[in-house]
Amino acid sequence: MASKSALLSRSGHRLFRQGRRLAASPCPICACSSQAVRPRLRTKAEAASRRALSTSTNPRIELENTLLELQKQSPNLINISRLQLALQGLRQATGTEIIRVAILGLANGAAAGPTARRVLRALLADPLQEEQPWERELEHRDETKPLIVRVGPPQKHAVSLEIEKETGLDEMHISSPELDGYNIEFLLMEVNVPYGAPGETSIQSLEDAVLVPTVDIPSAKDRVSPISTPVHQALLVADGLMGAVNVSALPVSETDESITAAVQFDGVSKDQLQANFDVVDVSLAERGIGLFRQGPQNAMDYERLWFSSNVPTLLKWLKNGAKPVADETKLAVRKLIASLLQNTTSEIQLAETRMLSKALTLKSDDPAVAALNQRLAEWAQSAHSELQDELDMAFKGRRWRKLGWWKLFWRVDDIAMLTNEMLSQRFMPTAEQELVYLTGRIEQLGGSHPEYPQPASSVNTAESRKLGSGEHAPALAATSSSSLPKWPGHIAFTRRYLQNETVPALQSLAQRLVVQSLGTSGVTTSLATLLYVSSFASTIYEAGAVAALGIVYSLGRMQKKWDAARTFWEGEVREEGRKAVRGAEESVATVLESNGSNGVEETGELQTTKELVAKAEDALARMK
């Protein structure tokens, strides 16, 4: 067995060295498995057929091609390591994607490395079997060396222990009955995360450090090469009070559950600490596993200790992301792609902000342009003020009060009329007129007809935003259509979007609530009548109590849902208004920036990247 293990280890080591020779420096975890997972296109005809099929029938292949275009178009705006991991998942069979999970001990936390090893051992240990060789090897290994743990059934991995001693990247093949069917790979290592006072560490900086950890691979004698190792999910492990303080300063709870944290505390629960992270006691889990291995008579003690340790919470988090569902992409893969696209959108916005700042700086010497820039800033300020003041008046006015929940029974058909009137009269009419005047001044100054970036169709934008940031505001899209206005049309487009997309949905909800309320009230009234007629209710008061209970319940349910819908719509109108003002301001600033070809070319590249991100989000929403 030892010689066979060494032979397999050397074979895996050769594959890793071949992967390191690639110019792109691929992730070391997938160096051994990418050839087995990715289907091979044997002929050019098959490749052409696959590409032709992608744009018409298969959103999964369409998403893969779009991500490849994003990589080619804007490699500086997208995280290449996470993109490669996303592409690898899309190339695997649906529902069987390999999910990578990093178990990371905080390097600046006390005893975090050994604690991370103990957590991983508790997650994978089988209490129905005696202590396995990999458990002893894991317990005594050096926590400073990264370790890859591939989990699979015994028939898939005939060797349960595979360690390459000559390199800093070791491997284990482990069979765990609890996780064999989930196709999970673990990366166990220590990591340094960006620390600061609570609120200072951004979510993106945390994701870059935790979801794309760097592994040092020996490349020559006394030399190492750092290689990025992207993962789908990450578990931060800390120990003791100092570890809890460090974890509490990180925005772990603000992520999309791709990152979670666990702190080892003996005899302390999460409720006692009032923490936003999980508190575990691995010693209880280890004791429970040891007792169960002594005999089935200790099953009750094992169950009590196992659940008291809070390790099952971490196991549930693992399974939620890697749970295989027939013909459906695993949740961890979807979250990875959605996060990747959202971060790319943030990078695009930062690039636009830098371009705008640079353009305004370069133009500050021109008095006329400087005056227009000042006028644009004043317009933006006044537009935001008008938006807030006018909407405050609208949502406190008589029309909005007419749509109280108790008035829906006779005003449910007036919702569209009243809300459309509010939007037409209160949604920044003055700011829109002043924007037209400002663009006229710009045209007069330049002596030409500048082309302003216009918002895309609200319908297309709504379809492309089903998964991701959740924004429905029209996005910028450069267009030269003669049907579009000669000034930024963001306010008008946003108003039209609210009237055509959100108002019908609000009215439909109101009609449905009225029907449900009347139906529930009618059913309970009929039941009360039957009780009275059949003499089950001795008096009319008892039957009336049954009817009153149903009516009160239906009206209370209707009030709760309608008030929540009204509040949500108010917030959506305000948020879309802010986005419209910002989009119009950026559109005017784009025209005011330098007339050099570099600025125009860079703006076009950013616009192309935006369209690719929207296309990818749409394909992700349609993908199963």
Side-chain angles (χ1 to χ4, degrees):
M1 179 63 72
S3 61
K4 187 175 181 180
S5 175
L7 179 60
L8 290 177
S9 299
R10 288 194 294 271
S11 176
H13 181 51
R14 285 197 299 271
L15 287 175
F16 277 123
R17 287 184 293 179
Q18 292 173 4
R20 289 199 299 270
R21 294 192 189 105
L22 296 178
S25 297
C27 167
I29 296 183
C30 59
C32 292
S33 58
S34 60
Q35 297 298 327
V37 173
R38 183 177 180 179
R40 184 178 179 183
L41 300 177
R42 301 189 178 184
T43 65
K44 293 183 179 180
E46 292 178 5
S49 176
R50 184 173 183 266
R51 286 192 298 268
L53 185 66
S54 64
T55 57
S56 59
T57 60
N58 196 330
R60 191 181 185 90
I61 301 179
E62 180 182 347
L63 177 58
E64 177 186 346
N65 293 337
T66 305
L67 292 179
L68 290 172
E69 292 181 24
L70 265 176
Q71 180 183 5
K72 181 179 179 181
Q73 171 69 26
S74 305
N76 296 328
L77 298 178
I78 194 167
N79 191 307
I80 299 298
S81 297
R82 301 188 73 191
L83 175 64
Q84 293 298 327
L85 181 60
L87 290 173
Q88 179 184 346
L90 293 175
R91 290 162 181 165
Q92 296 167 1
T94 305
T96 63
E97 300 90 351
I98 297 176
I99 303 302
R100 299 184 189 170
V101 181
I103 308 294
L104 305 174
L106 296 184
N108 46 354
T115 303
R117 291 202 322 263
R118 295 171 62 193
V119 169
L120 179 60
R121 180 185 177 189
L123 290 172
L124 298 179
D126 184 7
L128 297 177
Q129 297 182 4
E130 297 296 331
E131 186 179 19
Q132 300 297 304
W134 67 263
E135 297 184 54
R136 293 188 290 271
E137 181 68 28
L138 184 63
E139 183 178 2
H140 296 97
R141 70 172 279 104
D142 184 4
E143 63 269 7
T144 61
K145 290 186 177 181
L147 172 67
I148 295 175
V149 179
R150 305 183 191 275
V151 181
Q155 60 270 20
K156 183 177 180 181
H157 301 299
V159 181
S160 61
L161 177 62
E162 185 177 320
I163 304 293
E164 176 55 56
K165 298 294 185 182
E166 299 178 359
T167 180
L169 191 61
D170 299 344
E171 280 190 68
M172 279 188 179
H173 287 182
I174 295 174
S175 175
S176 172
E178 193 75 25
L179 296 175
D180 275 350
Y182 287 81
N183 218 2
I184 296 180
E185 294 178 350
F186 290 96
L187 172 64
L188 177 66
M189 60 178 294
E190 290 188 345
V191 68
N192 289 300
V193 297
Y195 284 109
E200 291 184 358
T201 304
S202 65
I203 298 177
Q204 187 164 354
S205 62
L206 177 64
E207 290 180 346
D208 291 340
V210 173
L211 295 179
V212 193
T214 301
V215 176
D216 292 332
I217 304 296
S219 57
K221 185 177 181 180
D222 298 329
R223 298 181 63 182
V224 295
S225 298
I227 296 181
S228 297
T229 311
V231 296
H232 295 90
Q233 299 177 214
L235 170 62
L236 289 174
V237 180
D239 189 90
L241 181 60
M242 184 57 66
V245 172
N246 292 335
V247 170
S248 62
L250 300 175
V252 175
S253 60
E254 300 176 18
T255 60
D256 60 350
E257 296 185 357
S258 298
I259 302 175
T260 189
V263 178
Q264 164 68 21
F265 258 118
D266 294 336
V268 179
S269 65
K270 180 178 180 180
D271 296 335
Q272 290 174 324
L273 286 181
Q274 297 182 353
N276 57 354
F277 50 81
D278 291 316
V279 177
V280 297
D281 189 348
V282 187
S283 60
L284 295 179
E286 294 172 339
R287 195 191 316 165
I289 294 173
L291 286 175
F292 196 86
R293 284 173 173 173
Q294 295 176 9
Q297 68 275 9
N298 299 318
M300 296 297 294
D301 292 334
Y302 160 74
E303 185 176 1
R304 175 179 56 82
L305 293 171
W306 175 251
F307 286 100
S308 299
S309 68
N310 205 32
V311 173
T313 302
L314 305 181
L315 194 61
K316 180 181 179 182
W317 170 77
L318 281 175
K319 292 181 176 180
N320 287 340
K323 181 179 180 181
V325 181
D327 298 329
E328 288 189 17
T329 305
K330 289 185 177 180
L331 182 60
V333 177
R334 299 183 68 92
K335 286 185 176 181
L336 168 64
I337 300 174
S339 175
L340 182 68
L341 297 177
Q342 186 173 358
N343 291 341
T344 304
T345 301
S346 301
E347 291 296 330
I348 293 174
Q349 295 174 351
L350 288 176
E352 290 176 337
T353 303
R354 287 193 295 266
M355 289 175 54
L356 176 59
S357 177
K358 180 180 179 181
L360 294 181
T361 302
L362 294 175
K363 285 291 188 178
S364 60
D365 295 336
D366 190 340
V369 176
L372 288 176
N373 284 326
Q374 180 64 28
R375 185 63 182 268
L376 175 61
E378 294 174 355
W379 173 85
Q381 182 178 0
S382 63
H384 282 292
S385 300
E386 180 188 3
L387 175 67
Q388 181 176 355
D389 296 340
E390 291 293 327
L391 291 184
D392 285 343
M393 294 177 60
F395 291 129
K396 294 179 181 177
R398 182 173 55 87
R399 288 189 181 91
W400 193 238
R401 288 198 301 270
K402 288 181 179 180
L403 300 181
W405 70 272
W406 67 93
K407 299 181 180 180
L408 285 183
F409 294 101
W410 61 90
R411 290 195 180 274
V412 67
D413 294 329
D414 298 336
I415 292 176
M417 178 189 67
L418 296 175
T419 51
N420 282 325
E421 287 180 359
M422 290 168 53
L423 292 174
S424 300
Q425 300 176 12
R426 299 293 185 182
F427 195 78
M428 297 184 290
T430 305
E432 189 174 11
Q433 296 174 1
E434 292 180 351
L435 181 61
V436 175
Y437 173 74
L438 177 61
T439 54
R441 292 282 302 273
I442 295 174
E443 182 176 343
Q444 182 182 10
L445 175 66
S448 61
H449 301 283
E451 183 176 329
Y452 293 91
Q454 298 290 345
S457 170
S458 60
V459 176
N460 295 336
T461 305
E463 293 177 353
S464 67
R465 297 290 183 180
K466 291 180 181 178
L467 182 61
S469 62
E471 297 178 359
H472 298 276
L476 287 176
T479 178
S480 59
S481 175
S482 59
S483 62
L484 295 175
K486 303 303 181 182
W487 56 85
H490 296 75
I491 297 177
F493 270 67
T494 303
R495 185 187 299 115
R496 191 177 311 144
Y497 159 74
L498 292 172
Q499 291 175 335
N500 297 340
E501 301 293 333
T502 65
V503 169
L506 188 67
Q507 180 161 6
S508 176
L509 174 63
Q511 293 172 340
R512 187 165 62 251
L513 290 176
V514 169
V515 172
Q516 290 176 352
S517 179
L518 292 176
T520 304
S521 301
V523 169
T524 54
T525 302
S526 301
L527 177 61
T529 303
L530 290 175
L531 290 175
Y532 182 73
V533 171
S534 60
S535 300
F536 278 99
S538 58
T539 64
I540 194 174
Y541 299 104
E542 294 179 359
V546 174
L549 178 62
I551 294 173
V552 170
Y553 169 77
S554 62
L555 293 180
R557 182 171 176 269
M558 175 182 176
Q559 178 186 8
K560 181 180 179 180
K561 291 194 173 184
W562 179 243
D563 288 345
R566 276 164 46 102
T567 302
F568 176 81
W569 191 75
E570 290 181 22
E572 186 176 20
V573 171
R574 295 180 188 274
E575 181 63 22
E576 300 299 350
R578 286 191 289 268
K579 293 176 186 176
V581 174
R582 181 180 177 183
E585 183 182 10
E586 291 177 352
S587 180
V588 175
T590 301
V591 174
L592 288 176
E593 68 183 8
S594 176
N595 293 325
S597 59
N598 292 335
V600 175
E601 182 179 354
E602 189 173 358
T603 303
E605 292 178 356
L606 291 178
Q607 180 56 41
T608 302
T609 306
K610 282 184 178 181
E611 294 173 355
L612 289 175
V613 171
K615 182 179 178 181
E617 288 177 340
D618 178 63
L620 178 61
R622 292 185 284 109
M623 183 180 68
K624 291 184 179 180

